[in-house]
């Protein structure tokens, strides 16, 4: 007998799905039993949140639809955070959400909730299968929607329905479309006219430029424009780019901010950059995006165009006058080189007995990692160090929770990336808070024989939160972490684990861990008081730091001010 569950698995396998991430449960029995006799690998995690993160990260690195599964009730709710991340990162994920028995829906049954309502906000499609007659049509619609809208589709299936005999055993293979989307000739001409009239043009480019590296650089050359990249645009545009001037925003640095501040016109390409305070408000702004609903979301526009960057950039370039004056781009590049030198100077070893500068650790990771490594930083200060010190080259990847901004993403996402790319080096840059939040996933790495390399920035605090408190004038409170020796914990779980307390040990420990044939963790004790200075410090932040200092001294914790000054003195002089 071919059950609904068996037909689902047959369809997934026919469409190239190789893995399903999840945790078994009685309401999932029909589905997991069908997987048991298939060619699809069941990747057993320790928390459904990790399953969703892993599926999302696999989709981000392969471009193909991936699958996670959760049992009814809590199993579903645990999926939600990872699915939010997948949804906001716009990657195709299918979630199989098991439900309570059909006869019990609406009775306040054990573990009952309403999955279609729960997943509504974090999906492009969610529907409940209440009858076998709806299948496999609903599965086909769910997968097609996830693929074409690049988002999360959720299929809610009561356990009893999954075990029912299929009335239709059709298996459909779905093929992604590859549309060419360009603005109308009139709109392109309007953009060209605005850019021709502008003296100094700067480009701000994001993840929408993923397959348009050469096209964007050719456009920048024609415009004499520096290219500022958003965080999700870093891996796609930083390399082989003579016009790159780094980032702006909370994670950025001075050169990216200056290139935008100094321009007459800003051309936004494939980016939904979320920080309007770092965007100009009295200059010409043109935005091009494949999703029209994103146009003008952050700041008012002079012109918004719908188009994919790969096809639109060359079409626009053909209409533009060539800008012979290279003053703006040359000054921006010169400023970037100085900024880059300053950042590299901060990545220095420390004197014996002091905790490591995190910049030094991040730069060492960059220098020792493979040329095709995949980096996965935790949200918080590890993202800052990744943004500033990991170099992209066209082969390396940088994956993270850059839109949803969830803690504990690094190891969970690394699970999916390593499972999909078994021969590739995958490095998780973990914060101590993020690692310990989902500590059980270290066991997932061991159980599934996934050789992920984890570098822990152990500063015994929720470090980025503390920085935000300082900037707002609050005394740091409630952010300290009493950590065990995380290397010994990891070793007890079966990983190769090393602890680093001295600068001389950083590079050898990383090299040893990266060469290990299996999962490995390096726990590096880093400076808690390191300040990550944004590219533009406003008056409110200056006032906030002053208030923080005064309030900290008055609360009897003046030693923290001394530690802060000692740790960051090299950033002042």
């Amino acid at each position: 007998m071919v059950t609904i569950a068996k037909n689902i698995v047959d369809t997934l396998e026919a469409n190239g799905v190789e893995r399903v991430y999840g945790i078994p449960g009685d309401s999932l029995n029909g589905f997991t039993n069908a997987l048991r006799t298939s060619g699809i690998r069941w990747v057993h995690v320790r928390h459904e949140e990790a399953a969703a993160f892993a599926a999302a990260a696999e989709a981000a690195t392969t471009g193909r639809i991936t699958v996670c599964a959760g049992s009814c009730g809590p199993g579903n709710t645990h999926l939600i955070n990872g699915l939010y991340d997948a949804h906001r990162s716009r990657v195709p994920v299918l979630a199989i959400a098991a439900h309570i028995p059909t006869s019990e829906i609406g009775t306040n049954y054990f573990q009952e909730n309403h999955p279609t309502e729960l997943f509504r906000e974090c999906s492009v499609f969610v529907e409940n299968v209440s009858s076998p007659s709806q299948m496999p049509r609903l599965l086909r619609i769910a997968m097609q929607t996830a693929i074409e809208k690049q988002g999360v589709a959720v299929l809610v299936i009561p356990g009893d329905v999954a075990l029912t005999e299929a009335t239709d055993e059709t298996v459909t293979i779905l093929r992604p479309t590859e549309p060419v989307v360009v603005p109308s000739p009139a709109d392109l001409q309007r953009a060209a006219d605005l850019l021709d009239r502008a003296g100094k043009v700067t480009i701000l480019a994001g993840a929408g430029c993923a397959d348009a590296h050469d096209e964007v650089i050719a456009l920048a050359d024609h415009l004499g424009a520096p290219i500022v990249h958003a965080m999700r645009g870093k891996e796609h545009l930083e390399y082989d780019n003579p016009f790159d001037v780094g980032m702006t925003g909370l994670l950025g640095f001075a050169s990216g901010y200056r290139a935008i501040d100094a321009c007459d016109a800003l051309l936004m390409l494939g980016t939904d950059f979320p920080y309007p305070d770092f965007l100009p408000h009295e200059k010409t702004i043109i935005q091009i995006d494949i999703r029209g609903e994103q146009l003008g979301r952050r700041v008012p526009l002079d012109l918004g165009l719908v188009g994919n960057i790969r096809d639109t950039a060359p079409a626009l370039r053909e209409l533009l006058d060539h800008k012979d004056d290279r003053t703006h781009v040359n000054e921006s590049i010169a400023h970037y080189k100085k900024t880059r030198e300053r950042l590299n100077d901060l990545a220095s070893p420390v004197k014996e007995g002091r905790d490591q500068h995190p910049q030094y650790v991040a730069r060492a990771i960059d220098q020792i990692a493979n040329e095709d490594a995949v980096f996965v930083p935790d949200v918080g200060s590890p993202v800052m160090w990744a943004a500033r010190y990991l170099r992209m080259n066209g082969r390396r990847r940088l994956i993270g929770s850059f839109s949803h901004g969830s803690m504990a993403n690094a190891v969970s996402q690394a699970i999916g990336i390593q499972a999909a790319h078994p021969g590739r080096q995958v490095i998780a840059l973990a914060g101590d808070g993020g690692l310990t939040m989902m500590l059980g996933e270290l066991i997932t790495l061991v159980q599934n024989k996934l050789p992920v390399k984890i570098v822990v920035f152990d500063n015994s605090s929720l470090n980025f939160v503390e920085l935000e408190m300082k900037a707002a004038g609050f005394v740091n409170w409630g952010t300290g972490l009493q950590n065990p020796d995380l290397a010994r914990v990891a070793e007890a779980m079966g990983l190769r684990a090393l602890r680093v307390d001295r600068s001389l040990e950083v590079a050898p420990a990383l090299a040893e861990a990266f060469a290990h044939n299996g999962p490995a963790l390096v726990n590096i004790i880093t400076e808690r008081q390191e300040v990550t200075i944004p590219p533009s410090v406003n008056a409110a932040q200056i006032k906030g730091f002053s208030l923080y200092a005064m309030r900290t001294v008055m609360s009897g914790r003046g030693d923290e001010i001394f530690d802060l000054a000692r740790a960051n003195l090299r950033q002042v002089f």
Side-chain angles (χ1 to χ4, degrees):
M1 181 181 75
V2 176
T3 63
I4 294 294
K6 178 69 165 61
N7 179 254
I8 292 173
V9 171
D10 289 345
T11 301
L12 297 180
E13 194 165 11
N15 280 276
V17 173
E18 298 178 6
R19 284 159 293 277
V20 174
Y21 302 88
I23 297 177
D26 61 346
S27 54
L28 269 177
N29 282 344
F31 181 67
T32 52
N33 185 61
L35 285 173
R36 181 178 60 83
T37 56
S38 75
I40 298 176
R41 178 184 175 189
W42 175 255
V43 182
H44 186 177
V45 298
R46 296 304 173 111
H47 195 292
E48 287 91 351
E49 179 177 320
F53 268 121
E58 178 182 330
T61 54
T62 65
R64 300 191 300 268
I65 191 168
T66 58
V67 183
C68 60
S71 57
C72 65
N76 285 342
T77 56
H78 287 167
L79 285 173
I80 286 178
N81 192 50
L83 291 183
Y84 258 103
D85 184 81
H87 180 64
R88 299 193 67 188
S89 297
R90 297 197 178 98
V91 292
V93 172
L94 173 68
I96 304 297
H99 200 8
I100 63 173
T102 308
S103 61
E104 300 295 341
I105 294 175
T107 68
N108 197 27
Y109 188 69
F110 177 64
Q111 294 188 325
E112 182 175 8
N113 57 22
H114 296 87
T116 53
E117 300 308 313
L118 286 171
F119 294 112
R120 186 79 63 194
E121 192 174 302
C122 62
S123 65
V124 294
F125 177 90
V126 56
E127 196 51 74
N128 179 62
V129 182
S130 58
S131 167
S133 62
Q134 296 172 275
M135 295 290 286
R137 186 181 179 190
L138 278 185
L139 174 63
R140 186 166 65 245
I141 294 171
M143 294 177 66
Q144 184 73 34
T145 306
I147 292 168
E148 293 304 324
K149 287 194 172 184
Q150 292 291 286
V152 174
V154 183
L155 205 59
V156 179
I157 308 177
D160 56 311
V161 174
L163 290 167
T164 303
E165 183 175 2
T167 59
D168 182 350
E169 300 177 20
T170 301
V171 171
T172 304
I173 298 177
L174 305 175
R175 304 193 186 281
T177 61
E178 297 182 3
V180 174
V181 182
V182 295
S184 69
D187 277 346
L188 284 172
Q189 188 60 59
R190 291 188 188 97
D193 292 343
L194 287 170
L195 293 170
D196 284 341
R197 287 198 297 268
K200 297 179 289 186
V201 178
T202 293
I203 292 173
L204 174 61
C209 300
D211 57 354
H213 174 275
D214 294 349
E215 291 82 357
V216 172
I217 290 175
L219 180 60
D221 186 30
H222 202 76
L223 286 168
I227 299 175
V228 180
H229 60 258
M231 184 66 195
R232 291 185 64 203
K234 176 181 170 71
E235 62 173 332
H236 306 301
L237 291 166
E238 184 180 65
Y239 68 96
D240 296 339
N241 183 354
F243 307 106
D244 181 58
V245 295
M247 296 175 57
T248 186
L250 295 177
L251 303 178
F253 32 93
S255 56
Y257 178 83
R258 181 185 180 280
I260 290 177
D261 186 59
C263 74
D264 299 312
L266 179 67
L267 178 58
M268 300 173 64
L269 301 177
T271 179
D272 189 29
F273 183 77
Y275 304 113
D277 289 345
F278 291 89
L279 295 174
H281 291 265
E282 296 181 356
K283 301 180 181 183
T284 299
I285 302 180
I286 301 168
Q287 183 177 2
I288 306 174
D289 203 287
I290 192 65
R291 294 175 176 82
E293 69 273 15
Q294 293 190 171
L295 299 176
R297 179 181 290 180
R298 307 304 175 188
V299 289
L301 302 177
D302 292 271
L303 182 64
L305 305 178
V306 173
N308 63 328
I309 306 305
R310 181 187 58 200
D311 300 306
T312 301
L316 176 60
R317 181 167 56 88
E318 290 181 2
L319 301 175
L320 289 165
D321 295 335
H322 185 275
K323 288 190 184 293
D324 297 322
D325 185 353
R326 317 302 274 188
T327 305
H328 175 53
V329 66
N330 290 339
E331 288 180 348
S332 297
I333 292 169
H335 191 274
Y336 172 60
K337 288 180 179 178
K338 291 180 181 179
T339 302
R340 185 71 264 168
E341 290 172 1
R342 181 64 176 149
L343 288 171
N344 290 341
D345 288 343
L346 295 176
S348 57
V350 297
K351 294 180 180 179
E352 194 74 22
R354 291 186 179 177
D355 297 337
Q356 305 308 306
H357 294 308
Q359 299 96 322
Y360 180 66
V361 176
R363 194 177 187 194
I365 294 170
D366 173 74
Q367 293 170 338
I368 297 170
N370 291 347
E371 289 302 295
D372 66 343
V374 183
F375 301 102
V376 195
D378 259 336
V379 164
S381 54
V383 170
M384 177 74 74
W385 311 131
R388 297 183 177 187
Y389 293 98
L390 298 183
R391 295 169 300 163
M392 299 295 105
N393 58 12
R395 298 171 63 201
R396 288 177 166 181
R397 297 296 311 272
L398 183 62
I399 305 298
S401 184
F402 301 138
S403 295
H404 185 48
S406 173
M407 282 182 63
N409 64 287
V411 173
S412 297
Q413 289 180 319
I415 291 168
I417 298 168
Q418 192 72 84
H421 306 276
R424 198 165 179 179
Q425 187 181 69
V426 180
I427 302 172
L429 285 69
D432 46 357
L435 179 78
T436 53
M437 181 180 282
M438 296 285 284
L439 193 61
E441 299 313 317
L442 296 183
I443 307 173
T444 297
L445 298 178
V446 175
Q447 180 169 328
N448 290 282
K449 298 180 174 58
L450 299 172
V452 170
K453 316 307 177 191
I454 304 167
V455 183
V456 185
F457 290 73
D458 187 349
N459 48 42
S460 298
S461 66
L462 299 176
N463 190 247
F464 202 78
V465 177
E466 288 193 337
L467 177 63
E468 292 170 325
M469 286 182 170
K470 290 180 175 73
F474 293 103
V475 175
N476 292 153
W477 186 84
T479 54
L481 300 175
Q482 184 174 327
N483 293 328
D485 185 334
L486 294 171
R488 293 180 65 184
V489 172
E491 187 174 41
M493 292 182 174
L495 287 82
R496 176 74 178 102
L498 302 157
R499 177 187 168 104
V500 173
D501 295 283
R502 303 169 61 221
S503 293
L504 290 175
E505 299 169 344
V506 171
L510 292 174
E512 180 181 340
F514 291 0
H516 178 66
N517 186 25
L521 181 145
V522 182
N523 188 44
I524 303 180
I525 309 304
T526 54
E527 174 59 59
R528 179 172 181 171
Q529 296 292 350
E530 195 76 33
V531 172
T532 52
I533 300 174
S536 173
V537 180
N538 60 36
Q541 290 171 324
I542 295 173
K543 178 182 178 182
F545 270 101
S546 300
L547 286 171
Y548 156 76
M550 180 179 66
R551 290 168 176 169
T552 300
V553 170
M554 293 180 68
S555 68
R557 291 162 53 183
D559 56 325
E560 286 189 17
I561 305 302
F562 174 79
D563 291 341
L564 182 71
R566 175 186 55 77
N568 296 279
L569 195 61
R570 72 199 198 290
Q571 297 199 48
V572 179
F573 299 102

